[in-house]
Amino acid sequence: MTGHLPSFVRDAWWTPPLDALGSDGASGAEVRDASTGEVVARVSTEGLDLAGALDHARTVGRASLAALTFHQRALLLKRFALALTERKDELYAVSARTGATRSDSWVDIDGGIGVLFSYSGKGRRELPNSTVHVDGPVEPLSKDGSFLGRHVFTTLPGVAVQINAFNFPVWGALEKLAPAFLAGMPTVIKPATPTGYLTEAMVRILVDSGLLPAGSLQLVSGGVPTLFEHLRLGDLVGFTGSASTAEALKAHPVVQTGVVRFTAETDSINASVLGTDAVEGTPEFDAYVRQLVTEMTTKAGQKCTAIRRAIVPAATADAVVEAVRARIAEKTVLGDPRAEGVTMGPLASTGQRDEVLRQVRALEEAGGRIVVGSTAAPEVRRADGSVDSTAVGAFLSPVLLRFDDADVDAAHTVEAFGPVASLLTYDTTGEAAALVGRGGGSLVTSIATHDPVQAVELATRIAPFNGRMLLLDRDDARSSTGHGSPLPNLVHGGPGRAGGGEELGGIRAVLHHMQRTAVQGSPEMLTALTGVWHPGATARSEGRHPFRKPLDELRIGDQVVSASREVTLDDIETFARFTGDTFYAHMDEEAAAANPFFPGRVAHGYLLVSWAAGLFVDPEPGPVLANYGLENLRFVTPVSPGDEIRVELTAKQITPRETDEYGEVRWDAVIRNQDDETVATYDVLTLVRKQHQAEPVPA
Ligand code: NAP
């Protein structure tokens, strides 16, 4: 008997207990090697306490993640990535059993590890080193500044259940784990049964690493038919899979009544449009064909982003068919991924292959003619180097169907989730755009053209139907990441049939695991809640200059109020000559006065900002290491010769770095004139040492 695939629940490995097994000691589904048909494992959740696992996440997992800041979680993601990198050969070996070639596995395994690195970097660059994220600007709600509004994101209190499709057992799981973990939500991964053993191998490495905070990650190997009964407010489900399963899950009352946040990444009839300028012999034509064949054969076409509809000008269609046929013949070697030279493996299971064959028949019945490839059992290279065409394994040749009538519904609605694409033709750009829209909402569409007019016309019309668009031409063909590759820093998801979401990709994916709340209150309260100083809150300007304080002494609200400095015409002219900025508003009284914004000659804004630095700075060496920029600079009131300016600089946000001896301090800077009018506002960004440096010991 082959063993049961373990789950990892309540911080321990779990397999079905003996009393849950049948008389032959077996239970659950059998999962087989995609090439040889050998049983890899049995998968069952019989006897698993799912409610207990979810509770463990909400209590133990949530508490251990809440004790960490965004930056600490981000660093752990990097360490997860390093732990997986160290043992990725093990994952590659297991991945071959799912039918994945080495390059398919690279997309899944290294792609998944890359997602962890990417979120780790983004989390530390784009989120504060705290647990609350502030969104958007301060909204003043009263004339005297005593009542403000601000939006904040706080972590959802529940568990993120991640239901994944079979095609990317590593990347699919990590793409969702990374943003949930960064947000501070514990995860329960529920992989698809046919390839869940690869997800289990990945989770095992993370568990072995000893890096996982208690309860932060659990894995349920096997079916979860009662899952939704156990979910409650504050929980979230991220689903990836077929539109039909998504429909069924969405119908559950906990989703219908809005108790549980449910998002679906589902199937998508993606398109790739060839421009009318991209005739045979152009670099765009070649790039288009290369990309189409790659999308048909990578992962044996089992990619949610794969091109299902090749939309080409009628005049170029024959040439496209010939070029696709030639490229497949030249580049594709079908077989067991463990055999030398194989470029395309089997589908994930024979069940999946039979399902694809059913969908190909549906496309044929709707008028599609197979013009490249066939549905007969193909010749395949076996692991030992022999070649046969027996039905063992889930193999299928790449198939291109051609439709004479591009309007046929099936071409836009039937997903054959394998190495299958349909060729549809158009005459005008408007027709091409309309055909793309017939997909009912897609994850991605690519457009191959070197004509910006055509690209813009198509792109503006089809963008609302797509989560992502790739504009492919001779300039980016070599560097392009490709039609089918979702990137961790860009939206992955799409409208309509694609699931309706854009919750993956970048910090928006992290925020998807948090609740945005509008908070109204006094500057003092908003400062306390957000950890960001708000104008009107307590500021302390007595005692030591804040530039003398390292991070462990500096507090938000520490302030320096400078002396005043008078602006003279001589200063303005000196600055103009020194910098070469002799713009008329500073140099020509008459022309300046004719300008609607100035009373006459005025000081350069940059002169004022430079002077402000001179007014607030404390010059001696100390904990402030560098000024690395300004943000949000606005010049509000012009300054004329004879006016006086002064500056208030207040520590606004302190972000210690986890891995360095320094951190960032954001200072709120306000320049005012002699009448207390605001002249300029901006944020000064500095790097400041965490602690005082020990005085050098005299020799
Ligand atoms: P699927 O049959 O819909 O299954 C998806 C997941 O749902 C599996 O983990 C499955 O578990 C689980 N599931 C099924 N019934 C459930 C229930 N009642 N409660 C909770 N979970 C349940 O899809 P698939 O065959 O694995 O994947 C292929 C499809 O996914 C294709 O249509 C493809 O287009 C789509 N896909 C979309 C994306 C995207 O990002 N948009 C990415 C990849 C794939 P079991 O396996 O244990 O049944």
Side-chain angles (χ1 to χ4, degrees):
M1 188 203 77
T2 307
H4 278 92
L5 187 67
S7 292
F8 184 73
V9 285
R10 296 179 177 208
D11 297 313
W13 289 104
W14 177 96
T15 43
L18 282 179
D19 59 7
L21 307 181
S23 53
D24 56 352
S27 73
E30 249 175 17
V31 173
R32 292 172 181 274
D33 182 295
S35 301
T36 64
E38 279 169 41
V39 177
V40 176
R42 303 190 67 88
V43 181
S44 168
T45 50
E46 204 59 48
L48 184 137
D49 176 12
L50 188 57
L54 297 171
D55 259 351
H56 184 72
R58 293 186 196 107
T59 51
V60 177
R62 180 70 195 102
S64 58
L65 286 170
L68 303 172
T69 63
F70 289 120
H71 288 203
Q72 290 165 339
R73 294 175 205 143
L75 267 182
L76 274 174
L77 288 180
K78 183 173 176 187
R79 295 177 70 195
F80 294 169
L82 293 170
L84 291 170
T85 304
E86 212 163 274
R87 288 175 59 184
K88 72 178 174 185
D89 285 352
E90 294 169 38
L91 297 179
Y92 272 82
V94 178
S95 180
R97 306 205 79 178
T98 70
T101 62
R102 184 103 196 143
S103 54
D104 294 341
S105 300
W106 181 81
V107 176
D108 189 30
I109 297 166
D110 280 277
I113 292 171
V115 168
L116 294 178
F117 279 125
S118 173
Y119 273 98
S120 178
K122 283 186 95 59
R124 282 175 288 151
R125 280 193 308 276
E126 297 177 36
L127 293 172
N129 196 0
S130 65
T131 54
V132 172
H133 179 62
V134 180
D135 178 46
V138 178
E139 299 291 341
L141 300 177
S142 69
K143 280 207 170 119
D144 67 355
S146 64
F147 189 51
L148 306 174
R150 199 91 205 241
H151 292 91
V152 299
F153 278 98
T154 51
T155 308
L156 291 180
V159 49
V161 181
Q162 299 158 6
I163 304 174
N164 295 322
F166 69 82
N167 55 343
F168 286 107
V170 176
W171 174 83
L174 295 179
E175 179 199 36
K176 292 178 186 167
L177 169 67
F181 191 88
L182 199 46
M185 265 193 112
T187 284
V188 172
I189 299 177
K190 188 272 173 266
T193 294
T195 56
Y197 56 91
L198 178 51
T199 313
E200 190 265 356
M202 181 271 287
V203 170
R204 189 170 284 279
I205 294 174
L206 293 181
V207 172
D208 289 353
S209 74
L211 294 167
L212 289 172
S216 62
L217 175 59
Q218 297 181 79
L219 169 76
V220 174
S221 302
V224 287
T226 62
L227 168 71
F228 282 65
E229 312 303 321
H230 305 299
L231 297 178
R232 56 189 202 217
L233 186 65
D235 294 342
L236 168 157
V237 176
F239 171 85
T240 302
S242 60
S244 55
T245 311
E247 275 310 304
L249 298 180
K250 239 186 258 177
H252 195 281
V254 291
V255 179
Q256 289 295 306
T257 54
V259 170
V260 166
R261 197 175 280 186
F262 177 88
T263 45
E265 305 284 327
T266 58
D267 52 42
S268 165
I269 314 297
N270 310 296
S272 184
V273 182
L274 183 66
T276 50
D277 60 315
V279 294
E280 201 177 2
T282 60
E284 286 72 28
F285 179 93
D286 294 342
Y288 182 88
V289 169
R290 265 199 312 275
Q291 176 174 271
L292 178 55
V293 172
T294 299
E295 291 300 315
M296 289 171 73
T297 55
T298 302
K299 272 298 229 182
Q302 302 165 108
K303 288 200 310 182
C304 53
T305 49
I307 297 169
R308 301 286 170 221
R309 295 174 295 156
I311 300 177
V312 305
T316 326
D318 289 342
V320 170
V321 171
E322 280 320 307
V324 167
R325 180 180 295 129
R327 187 156 178 93
I328 289 176
E330 184 197 349
K331 295 282 178 190
T332 309
V333 178
L334 191 54
D336 187 322
R338 287 155 290 212
E340 198 57 36
V342 163
T343 61
M344 178 175 146
L347 281 78
S349 66
T350 49
Q352 188 57 31
R353 182 207 47 207
D354 295 345
E355 174 59 21
V356 173
L357 287 172
R358 250 193 308 281
Q359 303 305 345
V360 172
R361 272 197 298 281
L363 289 168
E364 287 186 292
E365 278 159 21
R369 287 176 289 119
I370 295 181
V371 288
V372 176
S374 105
T375 53
E379 278 206 334
V380 297
R381 195 176 289 182
R382 298 288 170 188
D384 62 6
S386 64
V387 174
D388 71 36
S389 58
T390 64
V392 173
F395 294 97
L396 184 64
S397 304
V399 168
L400 182 68
L401 297 117
R402 182 167 178 174
F403 282 83
D404 294 327
D405 179 0
D407 266 341
V408 168
D409 269 348
H412 305 283
T413 57
V414 172
E415 183 194 42
F417 198 62
V420 181
S422 301
L423 188 96
L424 311 169
T425 57
Y426 72 89
D427 290 316
T428 65
T429 314
E431 270 173 42
L435 289 175
V436 172
R438 292 283 304 279
S442 300
L443 292 171
V444 52
T445 290
S446 51
I447 301 168
T449 175
H450 196 47
D451 171 9
V453 174
Q454 209 174 139
V456 170
E457 190 186 341
L458 271 168
T460 47
R461 293 178 71 159
I462 68 175
F465 297 99
N466 286 278
R468 184 164 61 85
M469 276 191 317
L470 166 65
L471 307 178
L472 185 68
D473 68 4
R474 64 196 67 185
D475 298 331
D476 66 11
R478 287 174 70 83
S479 55
S480 160
T481 47
H483 170 105
S485 303
L487 298 174
N489 40 1
L490 297 180
V491 163
H492 176 51
R497 174 174 181 147
E502 56 155 5
E503 62 283 351
L504 295 173
I507 293 301
R508 70 179 66 74
V510 178
L511 302 182
H512 174 69
H513 295 82
M514 305 182 80
Q515 177 63 41
R516 180 177 12 213
T517 307
V519 184
Q520 297 158 265
S522 65
E524 211 70 72
M525 285 299 173
L526 291 188
T527 296
L529 176 66
T530 59
V532 178
W533 182 82
H534 284 68
T538 303
R540 293 164 300 272
S541 53
E542 70 287 351
R544 264 186 313 157
H545 190 288
F547 276 23
R548 311 271 16 116
K549 299 181 183 178
L551 294 193
D552 62 358
E553 292 174 27
L554 188 71
R555 299 287 171 267
I556 55 171
D558 282 354
Q559 189 181 59
V560 54
V561 179
S562 79
S564 293
R565 175 167 186 166
E566 191 187 337
V567 181
T568 68
L569 197 56
D570 199 32
D571 290 327
I572 294 172
E573 288 183 346
T574 303
F575 189 80
R577 275 194 304 277
F578 182 50
T579 60
D581 180 354
T582 52
F583 187 60
Y584 71 87
H586 315 303
M587 302 305 283
D588 181 337
E589 185 65 32
E590 203 178 320
N595 179 307
F597 299 110
F598 303 126
R601 293 174 74 176
V602 293
H604 304 68
Y606 301 125
L607 168 61
L608 303 176
V609 169
S610 304
W611 271 356
L615 288 168
F616 67 60
V617 79
D618 181 86
E620 295 307 315
V624 177
L625 302 172
N627 165 205
Y628 70 97
L630 301 182
E631 274 181 5
N632 311 319
L633 174 60
R634 287 288 178 279
F635 298 119
V636 184
T637 308
V639 172
S640 305
D643 285 351
E644 285 187 1
I645 62 154
R646 66 177 197 284
V647 60
E648 287 162 19
L649 187 81
T650 315
K652 187 177 197 172
Q653 189 174 22
I654 301 174
T655 311
R657 289 201 187 175
E658 290 297 322
T659 48
D660 294 303
E661 287 312 307
Y662 58 90
E664 282 98 17
V665 179
R666 176 181 291 266
W667 305 83
D668 184 86
V670 183
I671 301 177
R672 295 187 202 281
N673 65 17
Q674 66 284 354
D675 299 324
D676 255 356
E677 290 170 318
T678 302
V679 167
T681 56
Y682 52 104
D683 288 354
V684 177
L685 309 174
T686 58
L687 298 175
V688 179
R689 217 177 253 128
K690 284 182 177 170
Q691 289 166 341
H692 275 300
Q693 231 179 8
E695 290 297 319
V697 182

